[in-house]
Amino acid sequence: MSKELKTGIVAVVIIVLFIWGYNFLKGENLFSGSRRHFFVEYENINGLNKASLVTINGLKVGKIDEISFNKTPEKQGILLVEISLESDLEFSKNSIAKIYSASLMGGQNLAIVPKYDGGLAVSGDYLKGEVEGDLFSSVSEKLNPIQSNLKNVLVGADSLLIGINDVLDEKSRKSLNRSILGLEGTITDVRKTLTSVNNLLSNSKENLTATLDNTKKITDNFSKISDDLAKSNLGATVKKLETTLSNVNGLLANMKAGKGTLGKLMTDDKMYTNLTNASKEMEELLREMKLNPKRFVHISLFGKKVKPYNEEANIKNVSTK
């Protein structure tokens, strides 16, 4: 192979590499497959340019080919952005091409938000365009209502202060000062009281500890008593008590019905009268034996007769000698 042929081949290779590198730096890949081209309309592109990236889910999939004004009369002033995609990802015509801020320092990129409902998007279709507000725009939008509310608050506060100044004349201010001084004195007294209480608690710490120990012992004793009661078959005792009370109730019921000796004594007036009379006669007999014992123990050598019973003397508790 001659030197001239070698030199020509090397020159062609260099030219091809130069063209490929130039297009690669522009974002074009000469060895990639067929590209799909789409169009998006915007009223404002917020600084989007041909160097901006075209991404899907954060992955670069294409580039911006052209940005121009729409030449259609009814769409004058509308910007037309032409993009080309290398990715073979299929999405529907309802997908959105959103311009977003690439960083805080500025710069805009274009993201395809794919949707999969509806017909598939093919090369040459128009996608719906949206513009995402940057950080400063979002902050400004959120601060505007806050600023308005803050202004209203400040106006209200100013009116309130003016009203307070009108109400608090010199006499009222002096009275308020005296009240504040009195409140300060009260707080000082409260602090002294709290200090005294703390000292009292510190001095009585041992007594409080002993009291708490005694309380714990009492609680333990109650717990033991409770355990003893639980173990003492209290249910059987209560049952026996109920049986005893039932028997007593039956006895009282029989007595009330006049059954038995006690029942007859309680309900039979005749028996009560007889017992009363017998008691009375027994009393008279004992009195007679005390007053005239000779009538009951009679010893006579001469046949002397015993004097008969004298009821009147017995009642008067007088002996009949």
Side-chain angles (χ1 to χ4, degrees):
M1 185 179 294
S2 63
K3 292 183 178 180
E4 290 80 3
L5 181 59
K6 291 181 180 179
T7 303
I9 293 174
V10 171
V12 170
V13 171
I14 292 173
I15 293 172
V16 170
L17 289 175
F18 176 77
I19 295 172
W20 177 84
Y22 176 76
N23 286 280
F24 181 79
L25 292 176
K26 289 175 60 179
E28 297 181 0
N29 188 358
L30 297 178
F31 301 103
S32 63
S34 59
R35 292 172 174 269
R36 292 180 296 170
H37 296 269
F38 297 96
F39 299 92
V40 190
E41 294 179 338
Y42 298 98
E43 293 183 358
N44 191 332
I45 60 174
N46 283 355
L48 188 73
N49 53 61
K50 290 185 177 182
S52 300
L53 300 179
V54 178
T55 62
I56 295 179
N57 296 337
L59 176 67
K60 179 184 175 182
V61 293
K63 67 183 186 68
I64 296 176
D65 294 332
E66 188 69 33
I67 300 176
S68 60
F69 285 101
N70 198 321
K71 297 180 180 179
T72 306
E74 59 270 15
K75 294 184 179 180
Q76 289 183 354
I78 301 297
L79 291 168
L80 182 63
V81 178
E82 181 182 354
I83 61 176
S84 59
L85 302 182
E86 301 174 1
S87 173
D88 57 354
L89 176 66
E90 294 183 348
F91 47 84
S92 72
K93 296 180 180 180
N94 298 325
S95 300
I96 299 173
K98 181 182 293 186
I99 298 175
Y100 67 95
S101 178
S103 65
L104 294 176
M105 302 302 295
Q108 304 291 329
N109 287 336
L110 191 147
I112 304 296
V113 182
K115 295 183 181 297
Y116 305 100
D117 55 330
L120 292 177
V122 297
S123 182
D125 285 342
Y126 280 76
L127 302 178
K128 181 180 179 182
E130 289 185 1
V131 179
E132 183 179 69
D134 56 13
L135 177 62
F136 296 103
S137 299
S138 300
V139 172
S140 177
E141 291 176 358
K142 293 182 179 180
L143 286 179
N144 285 335
I146 296 176
Q147 180 182 2
S148 177
N149 293 334
L150 181 60
K151 182 178 179 181
N152 295 332
V153 171
L154 291 176
V155 171
D158 184 60
S159 302
L160 178 62
L161 292 175
I162 292 174
I164 292 175
N165 289 331
D166 293 338
V167 172
L168 293 179
D169 54 6
E170 184 177 358
K171 183 177 179 181
S172 299
R173 286 195 293 270
K174 290 181 179 180
S175 177
L176 182 60
N177 289 332
R178 288 194 299 270
S179 300
I180 293 174
L181 292 175
L183 180 61
E184 183 179 0
T186 302
I187 293 174
T188 303
D189 294 338
V190 170
R191 287 178 178 175
K192 292 180 180 179
T193 303
L194 291 176
T195 303
S196 300
V197 171
N198 290 331
N199 294 332
L200 179 61
L201 291 176
S202 298
N203 296 331
S204 305
K205 184 176 180 181
E206 296 181 357
N207 295 331
L208 289 174
T209 303
T211 302
L212 291 175
D213 291 338
N214 293 332
T215 304
K216 186 176 183 300
K217 292 179 181 178
I218 293 172
T219 304
D220 293 338
N221 292 333
F222 274 121
S223 178
K224 292 179 180 178
I225 292 172
S226 177
D227 293 338
D228 294 338
L229 289 175
K231 296 177 181 178
S232 62
N233 198 4
L234 188 60
T237 304
V238 173
K239 188 174 182 181
K240 291 180 180 178
L241 182 60
E242 290 179 351
T243 303
T244 303
L245 291 175
S246 298
N247 294 333
V248 172
N249 290 332
L251 179 60
L252 293 175
N254 291 334
M255 291 173 63
K256 187 176 180 181
K259 296 180 181 180
T261 304
L262 291 176
K264 291 180 179 180
L265 181 61
M266 292 176 62
T267 58
D268 193 349
D269 294 338
K270 185 177 181 180
M271 180 177 286
Y272 173 76
T273 303
N274 292 335
L275 287 175
T276 302
N277 292 334
S279 176
K280 183 177 180 182
E281 290 175 357
M282 181 65 71
E283 181 182 359
E284 291 176 354
L285 175 61
L286 292 175
R287 188 183 298 113
E288 183 66 21
M289 289 177 66
K290 181 179 179 182
L291 296 175
N292 302 300
K294 294 180 179 181
R295 293 184 66 244
F296 300 94
V297 182
H298 177 66
I299 300 173
S300 178
L301 297 176
F302 304 101
K304 185 179 179 179
K305 294 183 179 180
V306 180
K307 292 182 180 182
Y309 172 72
N310 189 338
E311 183 178 358
E312 183 177 357
N314 187 286
I315 295 173
K316 293 181 179 181
N317 201 14
V318 178
S319 176
T320 56
K321 296 181 181 180

